[in-house]
Amino acid sequence: MVAPGSLNEFLSAQHSVIRVALTRVRGSSPRNEGTEMFVAPGALWGTIGGGQLEFLAINTARDMLRDGALHQDLDVPLGPEIGQCCGGRVELNLSRMRASDKWAATERAARNEDALPHVYVMGAGHVGRALANQFQHLPVRCILVDTRPEEIAFCAADVETRVSAIPEAEIWRAPAGSAFVVLTHDHGLDFLLTTAALERNDAAYVGMIGSATKRIKLRNWAQKHCDGQSIEHLKCPMGASGSRDKRPSVIAAFVAAEVMAELTSETAATALTGANQAPLRGHHHDRKGRSA
């Protein structure tokens, strides 16, 4: 059984747990070095990539729990020997967790949560809410912003929501390396928010819903009203996949894939390493949108 909820909830509920960690990766592997999974007698939390490698690790961990073993190291070729065809080789460390180990794992998980890239969905209409539905399942902190409380109220996704009379202020306050997806109910507001995001010069992604014609109109508007602001790095149309399907959920799927490709690129990872993660202006907000 794969356990729902947070790692803290899982570790609190399980008395005996084996931590499985990928300590070395050579060649192709389903997950990267440092990936963790936690195995209890009847439950799991996390994944090291599935397949026969994970099956082997789970069985080994549960044998350790049954036999009282404390530590074990595995060196596994990802080839025909285990029925997996990645072609690489991984080393695993399996260790029984003490109370201090559980605390340390919880602290690591909290730091990883805090370090998640921010994705600001500026507009809570049909596509905006469909995007929130996508991003709630991805390793990002999604913030859905709108001036209209009645539209925000329709959002059922597990994301942060903010009703803002001045939505551009949310862009000003965002951490470096954030992604901005602009799709409000008003073209003028779209232009204002998009140019505010581009003006930062530190966004991992800036996209605006619309057509090639709307892009040209924004370029002309920015030239006239924003001191010649370049829109070279703007994605518009967003999620341009060639699909003719205009349903909000389909559009959202393509846009979410585009955003994640940018956020997980080598360029984004390098830029984020040296970026200042503090908000630029104003107050920090917690996951529920409260000012701290």
Side-chain angles (χ1 to χ4, degrees):
M1 179 185 73
V2 178
S6 69
L7 177 59
N8 184 46
E9 291 170 336
F10 173 80
L11 294 176
S12 298
Q14 304 296 330
H15 175 68
S16 298
V17 180
I18 298 292
R19 173 183 178 258
V20 180
L22 279 173
T23 56
R24 188 181 182 192
V25 173
R26 287 165 284 173
S28 179
S29 167
R31 294 297 300 273
N32 297 328
E33 192 172 297
T35 300
E36 298 176 302
M37 179 176 72
F38 301 89
V39 183
L44 303 170
W45 198 94
T47 176
I48 57 170
Q52 290 299 312
L53 173 66
E54 185 162 300
F55 183 74
L56 171 66
I58 292 169
N59 280 349
T60 303
R62 287 185 172 149
D63 287 345
M64 291 173 62
L65 290 170
R66 183 193 63 221
D67 299 338
L70 299 180
H71 301 282
Q72 187 166 340
D73 293 313
L74 299 177
D75 185 348
V76 185
L78 303 178
E81 297 90 340
I82 66 165
Q84 199 151 338
C85 58
C86 295
R89 193 179 191 98
V90 299
E91 294 178 19
L92 304 173
N93 173 262
L94 291 80
S95 58
R96 185 183 290 264
M97 301 185 76
R98 301 164 296 180
S100 59
D101 298 321
K102 291 182 177 181
W103 180 86
T106 301
E107 287 295 298
R108 285 195 302 275
R111 288 195 299 270
N112 290 338
E113 179 78 10
D114 289 341
L116 289 175
H118 289 52
V119 177
Y120 290 80
V121 178
M122 309 301 294
H126 293 294
V127 179
R129 296 196 300 272
L131 274 167
N133 289 338
Q134 295 279 343
F135 284 126
Q136 70 178 327
H137 302 298
L138 294 168
V140 299
R141 177 175 172 180
C142 178
I143 302 100
L144 181 64
V145 181
D146 206 299
T147 58
R148 304 164 297 171
E150 66 275 13
E151 292 298 318
I152 287 283
F154 287 129
C155 177
D158 183 19
V159 301
E160 185 175 333
T161 59
R162 297 181 189 171
V163 177
S164 177
I166 309 174
E168 61 268 33
E170 304 297 337
I171 294 174
W172 299 337
R173 296 174 182 140
S178 295
F180 302 95
V181 184
V182 180
L183 27 58
T184 77
H185 59 293
D186 180 87
H187 285 327
L189 184 56
D190 283 351
F191 287 5
L192 176 64
L193 298 178
T194 300
T195 52
L198 290 170
E199 186 181 11
R200 290 179 53 110
N201 291 320
D202 64 0
Y205 175 95
V206 181
M208 180 180 72
I209 199 164
S211 61
T213 299
K214 186 174 178 181
R215 181 188 181 94
I216 292 170
K217 289 182 177 180
L218 173 64
R219 183 193 65 196
N220 295 337
W221 187 86
Q223 287 287 329
K224 182 177 180 181
H225 299 285
C226 302
D227 297 325
Q229 170 72 53
S230 171
I231 67 166
E232 177 185 358
H233 299 296
L234 172 66
K235 294 286 188 179
C236 179
M238 295 187 295
S241 63
S243 173
R244 299 177 63 186
D245 196 320
K246 301 299 184 183
R247 285 175 290 183
S249 58
V250 176
I251 295 171
F254 284 119
V255 172
E258 187 173 88
V259 171
M260 293 308 300
E262 291 295 331
L263 289 176
T264 57
S265 69
E266 191 68 31
T267 302
T270 302
L272 200 56
T273 300
N276 176 8
Q277 290 300 291
L280 297 182
R281 310 183 203 173
H283 298 88
H284 172 73
H285 291 76
D286 65 15
R287 290 284 290 184
K288 299 301 182 183
R290 296 180 294 248
S291 180

